[in-house]
Amino acid sequence: MPKDGQFAMPTLPYEELGKVISKETLSFHHGKHLKAYVDNLNKMLPGSGLEGKSLSEVVCKAEGGLFNNAGQVLNHTMYFEQFSNTPREMSTKFAAMIEKDFGSVEDFKKEFVQKGVTLFGSGWVWLSMDGSGKLVITQQKNAENPVTMGLNPLLTFDVWEHAYYLDYQNRRGDQLADLWQVVDWPVVESRL
């Protein structure tokens, strides 16, 4: 829920993520890019009828510019919160869930990266859980989030160029593959 009617910038417990996400990229991506979405969302929210709603509720009910800004705030917040310089491994329980739906953890990671690489244009690749408990990978364009499809989003990689271009130039696939090094799996699992 927004505090005093305003959504806040998520704070980061890190200034960089080794060679995977540099301090310069974080400065632009988090400090400027996400800040603009948060500021725009807070300007657009009054009078929308969605004041006091959670960010997920705003994303599910908003349209147009309000949806775009709310979606990007939700997506980026989930993205930045799932990483750590001291990432922790996934639990055996979560690994078993992935193996059940994807065959193996390695097969899941390959499919996830492939979905990110093959998303045309800008957007996000997501691991979500559907209502029956099945894990699914989706590609979402622009500011879309799986919550609008009734899914529970767990993990996301940003495939907008601003997320990787300073560090990886046009090598989207390399950056996506490297992100596994900094995923903090207990954070992802806490979203179940």
Side-chain angles (χ1 to χ4, degrees):
M1 297 289 225
K3 184 178 178 183
D4 301 323
Q6 299 283 292
F7 287 99
M9 278 286 290
T11 56
L12 298 180
Y14 48 81
E15 290 184 7
E16 49 79 31
L17 290 164
K19 294 180 180 179
V20 180
I21 303 177
S22 69
K23 188 173 186 174
E24 183 180 24
T25 291
L26 278 175
S27 172
F28 283 102
H29 194 185
H30 179 268
K32 292 181 175 44
H33 197 84
L34 175 55
K35 184 171 184 338
Y37 287 127
V38 171
D39 291 346
N40 289 337
L41 172 61
N42 286 329
K43 287 177 194 167
M44 298 173 89
L45 202 56
S48 68
L50 299 172
E51 301 91 336
K53 303 286 185 195
S54 72
L55 191 51
S56 291
E57 289 174 303
V58 174
V59 169
C60 287
K61 295 178 180 177
E63 296 178 353
L66 182 58
F67 168 79
N68 289 333
N69 285 282
Q72 291 291 23
V73 172
L74 179 58
N75 295 354
H76 280 92
T77 299
M78 293 184 76
Y79 175 77
F80 287 121
E81 288 178 349
Q82 72 193 3
F83 297 131
S84 173
N85 274 316
T86 54
R88 295 170 291 164
E89 297 298 318
M90 71 175 67
S91 69
T92 54
K93 179 182 175 185
F94 195 68
M97 293 171 66
I98 287 177
E99 289 165 2
K100 177 179 171 265
D101 292 324
F102 298 101
S104 71
V105 172
E106 284 309 309
D107 288 344
F108 155 70
K109 288 180 177 181
K110 283 169 62 174
E111 182 178 341
F112 195 85
V113 168
Q114 185 61 24
K115 292 272 185 167
V117 169
T118 59
L119 177 63
F120 183 76
S122 298
W124 303 81
V125 61
W126 290 88
L127 173 68
S128 299
M129 179 181 280
D130 70 14
S132 71
K134 180 176 172 48
L135 297 175
V136 295
I137 298 171
T138 59
Q139 298 169 312
Q140 307 297 146
K141 294 250 184 215
N142 302 319
E144 294 173 5
N145 183 293
V147 73
T148 63
M149 303 181 315
L151 299 172
N152 179 26
L154 305 173
L155 170 79
T156 189
F157 287 178
D158 188 340
V159 294
W160 285 72
E161 286 185 341
H162 64 254
Y164 61 87
Y165 212 82
L166 290 176
D167 299 326
Y168 288 81
Q169 290 79 45
N170 65 336
R171 296 176 291 118
R172 179 192 280 187
D174 291 347
Q175 200 262 352
L176 294 174
D178 286 351
L179 284 173
W180 298 120
Q181 299 171 41
V182 294
V183 171
D184 194 345
W185 286 103
V187 172
V188 174
E189 294 175 41
S190 74
R191 298 170 176 167
L192 284 168

